[in-house]
Amino acid sequence: MRLSLILLLTAFSAAAQTPASPDPRVKFKDGERYLRDLAAALELPRDSICRELSQYDCFSDAFRIVLGGVEPYRIRVVEPQEKASLTAPIALDRLAMHACTRRVEEDGKAPAAAVLFRPVKSRPDRKWKQQTATTIYDRILRRTPTAEETTRLVSFYDTVARKSAATAPRDWTVLACFAVASSLESVFY
């Protein structure tokens, strides 16, 4: 009995004190991987996420090289860039914003099948904001947010509401999704 109690206490204390990795390395997701992950998380067809000028696929035609891809046939880029381009963060932000906006638009059209944004008739309460924040983290990062992360996203709602009171729930959902989708945890693996 005593040995099992010691093992149980050791397991709980080990879980509470996760040690830092001795060799912490993260890798930048190339654009295709990032887009696939985002499409899967938001339940959007990959090809429908972003169209530049309503014609060109954002990744394939506009951001492929910038986000670490190659294009050997049309422009003869056969090796990915060694270092991330200066415009890579802008391209990732655009993909994330397009995907989040598209998801919220789709949710608005079919609220019964909503993935992120469940419309509310009046000013949303704290429970709605917390549930939405949890859903966003669960969908995009595949984990439950910490209490601090939830508090930050929920308190961000008031900032959005001051700027756009009539569309605050929708706007906040898009921006909260964007914040999580463009976070370091989402962009690196």
Side-chain angles (χ1 to χ4, degrees):
M1 171 74 174
R2 182 182 163 135
L3 181 59
S4 61
L5 181 60
I6 290 172
L7 289 173
L8 183 64
L9 290 173
T10 304
F12 279 121
S13 69
Q17 301 170 358
T18 305
S21 171
D23 186 21
R25 287 184 291 165
V26 293
K27 293 179 81 178
F28 179 70
K29 287 183 185 178
D30 63 69
E32 187 60 43
R33 179 184 305 239
Y34 178 71
L35 202 52
R36 269 195 324 265
D37 288 353
L38 209 49
L42 299 178
E43 293 185 18
L44 292 168
R46 184 248 175 259
D47 295 336
S48 73
I49 288 180
C50 178
R51 309 291 294 168
E52 287 292 315
L53 304 172
S54 300
Q55 294 179 8
Y56 307 105
D57 179 74
C58 285
F59 176 71
S60 297
D61 298 325
F63 305 139
R64 178 183 300 237
I65 305 305
V66 170
L67 294 177
V70 296
E71 177 47 75
Y73 304 110
R74 289 187 291 163
I75 57 175
R76 301 186 199 286
V77 175
V78 295
E79 294 287 328
Q81 296 175 352
E82 285 184 36
K83 294 184 179 182
S85 165
L86 183 61
T87 58
I90 297 167
L92 281 170
D93 283 354
R94 291 200 53 182
L95 290 174
M97 184 58 83
H98 278 285
C100 291
T101 302
R102 176 72 188 246
R103 177 71 268 160
V104 171
E105 286 172 355
E106 295 297 318
D107 289 349
K109 292 175 189 173
V115 173
L116 290 185
F117 176 59
R118 288 171 174 71
V120 290
K121 295 196 187 311
S122 61
R123 183 174 167 86
D125 60 5
R126 185 165 189 76
K127 183 179 177 185
W128 179 89
K129 295 174 204 171
Q130 289 174 330
Q131 286 176 338
T132 304
T134 300
T135 300
I136 290 169
Y137 268 87
D138 182 51
R139 285 257 170 212
I140 297 172
L141 299 180
R142 310 276 189 222
R143 68 172 178 82
T144 304
T146 64
E148 181 184 349
E149 289 167 333
T150 303
T151 300
R152 271 192 264 148
L153 269 188
V154 168
S155 63
F156 177 57
Y157 182 90
D158 295 331
T159 303
V160 174
R162 282 193 296 273
K163 302 287 184 191
S164 60
T167 58
R170 178 200 173 284
D171 294 347
W172 174 75
T173 305
V174 169
L175 293 172
C177 172
F178 170 75
V180 176
S182 62
S183 68
L184 288 176
E185 189 174 345
S186 179
V187 173
F188 290 87
Y189 70 98

